[in-house]
């Protein structure tokens, strides 16, 4: 149910500029299943910025959903990291419910960052904020919000 809810929300938030959303996408000859994948054909905004300004391969946006009431650990971050590949893209989103220590989660995301993989994390409150921006038709605020998540990794 959580995957389906997040899938519907992300379609509302990101289609367009992203397209071709797929849920539970089989990959690597059916050895792995990615929760959500979207094709990045953005010509402006955050997803274009990833490719053309940050030079992050982001042909596909890989998203993992974790409906956990407990804090995430390095295993969940590394699972998403393992799905980021040069031919797919090196940008992913980890959607989760909540954590008691965002600083620790960000530190875990800096491990794949040091390997050239960008993982941003969105919790329930982040999703609510993004939906509010969408309802207000404040696309620039969505772009800035996501860019701030990248800046957390860079700095």
């Amino acid at each position: 149910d959580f995957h389906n809810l997040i899938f519907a929300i992300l379609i509302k938030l990101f289609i367009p500029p992203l397209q071709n959303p797929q849920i539970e996408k089989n990959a690597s000859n059916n050895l792995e299943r990615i929760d959500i994948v979207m094709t990045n054909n953005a010509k402006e905004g955050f997803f274009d910025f990833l490719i053309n300004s940050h030079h992050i391969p982001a042909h596909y946006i890989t998203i993992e959903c974790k409906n956990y009431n407990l804090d995430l650990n390095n295993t969940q971050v590394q699972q998403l990291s393992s799905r980021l590949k040069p031919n797919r893209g090196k940008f992913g989103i980890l959607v989760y419910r909540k954590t008691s220590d965002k600083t620790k989660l960000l530190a875990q995301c800096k491990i794949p960052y040091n390997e050239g993989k960008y993982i941003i994390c969105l919790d329930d409150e982040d999703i609510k904020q993004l939906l509010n921006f969408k309802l207000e038709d404040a696309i620039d605020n969505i772009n800035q919000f996501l860019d701030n998540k990248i800046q957390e990794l860079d700095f």
Side-chain angles (χ1 to χ4, degrees):
D1 290 340
F2 184 69
H3 289 139
N4 289 328
L5 174 63
I6 294 301
F7 186 65
I9 290 170
L10 295 180
I11 286 171
K12 179 72 174 166
L13 288 172
F14 300 142
I15 305 291
L18 302 181
Q19 63 185 21
N20 192 26
Q22 298 177 52
I23 192 166
E24 297 185 2
K25 174 79 173 161
N26 285 317
S28 300
N29 295 320
N30 294 326
L31 295 176
E32 60 184 4
R33 190 163 63 191
I34 301 170
D35 291 343
I36 301 169
V37 175
M38 295 183 180
T39 303
N40 184 4
N41 284 327
K43 303 296 183 222
E44 61 184 11
F46 174 76
F47 293 102
D48 175 65
F49 178 77
L50 284 175
I51 294 171
N52 291 315
S53 293
H54 267 297
H55 307 290
I56 300 169
H59 317 295
Y60 299 99
I61 306 303
T62 302
I63 303 151
E64 288 292 324
C65 304
K66 302 299 177 192
N67 185 18
Y68 294 175
N69 289 324
L70 304 172
D71 286 350
L72 299 178
N73 60 44
N74 196 45
T75 303
Q76 288 81 36
V77 173
Q78 289 304 314
Q79 178 190 33
L80 177 52
S81 177
S82 73
R83 286 153 168 59
L84 303 179
K85 303 187 184 303
N87 60 328
R88 287 186 201 149
K90 293 193 172 190
F91 174 80
I93 301 173
L94 182 60
V95 181
Y96 67 102
R97 303 305 311 266
K98 62 183 176 180
T99 185
S100 64
D101 192 346
K102 284 190 175 188
T103 302
K104 181 179 176 185
L105 181 57
L106 180 61
Q108 292 168 342
C109 290
K110 288 194 178 206
I111 295 168
Y113 169 80
N114 291 329
E115 300 168 356
K117 298 176 181 180
Y118 287 73
I119 296 174
I120 64 170
C121 298
L122 301 175
D123 65 13
D124 285 353
E125 295 305 313
D126 294 329
I127 295 293
K128 288 178 193 174
Q129 182 64 60
L130 289 167
L131 283 169
N132 284 331
F133 289 148
K134 184 69 172 187
L135 289 171
E136 297 165 359
D137 201 29
I139 304 306
D140 287 342
N141 289 355
I142 292 173
N143 291 328
Q144 185 62 50
F145 185 93
L146 296 172
D147 184 57
N148 288 343
K149 293 288 185 176
I150 291 289
Q151 286 184 28
E152 287 178 347
L153 291 169
D154 283 339
F155 295 99

